[in-house]
Amino acid sequence: MNWSTAEIGALARAVSHAPSVHDTRPWLIEPRGDVVNLYERREVSLPRHDPTGRDRVISCGAALVNLELAVRALGWGVETTLFPQGGRAELVARVHAAGRAELTEEIATRYAAMFRRHSYRHPFRLRRLPVERLRSLSRAVGEDGTQARVIDHRTESADLAELLGYAARVLQDDAAYQRELTAWTAEPADRSSLPWAGLVRRNTRVPDEITFTARLAREGLLAVLTPDDTRRDHLHAGAAMQRIWLDAVAGGLVASVVTQPLHLPEVRAGLIERLGLEGYPQLLIRAGHPAESLSRPLPAPVSLEELR
C-alpha cells in the first residue's frame, strides 16, 4: 500500500499536535510505502536550555505516540522499530502499517485527546488528585522499563521545593539562558510564579521555601524515570510522558511538564539521592483539575469518519 494524500495529511496533523521543547517541533516525518519514518531535526538547537539534546529527543518520543495513534486511527496495526539499523543517525523510529486492525476504544480515546491536550500553566483546583488517580496515570508509561513515580506530597515536597527553588535562581541569573528563552518564546503578560510556571524567567516569582513546599504539597506530581540515560531512554521517556498526558486529558484533567531544572546536574543528582529514585529522572509531570473553565477554545479533533 501507499499512503494517500489525505492519510499523509492526517498523520502530519496528528504529529504537529505533540508537545515539544519551546514548541520547536524538532521532528520530521517521511511517509514511504507502508511505513512512516520519524526523524530528529538536530538543527533545532537550544544550547543553553537543552545542551545535550535530551529534551529534543523527548519531544520526538511524544511525536511518535501521536504518529502511532494516527496510524491506528486510520485502521492499521502498528509495528514500530526504534533507531533502525542502517538508517541515518537522525532516524529515531520507523512505523510500519502492519495489516488492517480494529480500532479499540482506548486508541480512539487517546487519539481524540491529542487534539485537546495543551500545557496548563496555572494553579490547579485546590482539591489535589488522589494518589490512586496518579498511580492510575502512571500505568500508561508502557513496558520498556520506563517508570512514572508518584511524588509523595507529605514527605517529599520540602526536598523538591529546595531543589526547584535552587534551579530557578540559577536559571534567572544565567544571562545567556534568558536571552535564548526570550528568542524562542513569547514573554507572558503577567508575572508567573512557581510551581506552575513552565519556564523560569527573570520576573518569575520564586516563593520562599515554606510557601513553595506548601504549593508543591497541593500538586499532583509524577517523575518519569528511565533505567539508563541514552537517546533510546529519552525517546521512551517522551512516549511515556505523552501517554500519561493523553490519559489525563481523556479523564477530564489538565497537565504540564517541567524539564528545565533537570538540566542542572546537581539538581538531577539531588532528586535521585533525596527522593531515592531508582532510575534517571527525565521530566516531571503535574496533573490536576483546572481551577476554572478554559478561557480559549480547544481545536476540534479530526473525526475518525473523516479519516476513512
Side-chain angles (χ1 to χ4, degrees), residues 22 34 44 109 148 169 192 196 208 223 270 294 297-298:
H22 289 357
D34 59 355
V44 178
T109 299
R169 290 187 288 272
S192 57
W196 37 82
D208 63 80
L294 298 176
L298 298 175

Side-chain angles (χ1 to χ4, degrees), residues 21-74:
V21 54
H22 289 357
D23 199 28
T24 53
R25 301 183 183 183
W27 55 69
L28 177 69
I29 64 169
E30 179 189 54
R32 179 177 293 178
D34 59 355
V35 305
V36 185
N37 290 326
L38 177 68
Y39 293 94
E40 173 191 1
R41 292 175 53 217
R42 294 185 175 180
E43 71 274 15
V44 178
S45 176
L46 298 167
R48 301 301 296 187
H49 173 97
D50 188 28
T52 65
R54 186 168 74 222
D55 280 5
R56 189 172 59 223
V57 181
I58 287 173
S59 302
C60 290
L64 175 60
V65 169
N66 281 21
L67 176 59
E68 291 175 328
L69 286 171
V71 172
R72 292 183 186 277
L74 289 167

Side-chain angles (χ1 to χ4, degrees), residues 124-205:
F124 295 130
R125 195 180 304 169
L126 291 181
R127 178 166 57 91
R128 191 180 53 81
L129 285 186
V131 173
E132 294 75 16
R133 185 73 183 277
L134 290 170
R135 287 175 180 162
S136 176
L137 290 175
S138 74
R139 289 193 282 272
V141 295
E143 300 179 355
D144 48 53
T146 305
Q147 306 173 54
R149 202 273 220 174
V150 178
I151 302 296
D152 191 323
H153 68 282
R154 299 163 299 180
T155 62
E156 297 177 333
S157 294
D159 284 332
L160 188 59
E162 182 180 345
L163 290 166
L164 295 185
Y166 166 81
R169 290 187 288 272
V170 170
L171 293 171
Q172 284 182 323
D173 290 339
D174 187 333
Y177 172 87
Q178 290 298 327
R179 284 195 297 271
E180 183 178 272
L181 185 59
T182 300
W184 279 97
T185 61
E187 186 72 22
D190 60 337
R191 297 178 63 204
S192 57
S193 184
L194 296 175
W196 37 82
L199 303 172
V200 177
R201 304 177 186 276
R202 291 195 188 279
N203 63 356
T204 299
R205 290 172 289 185

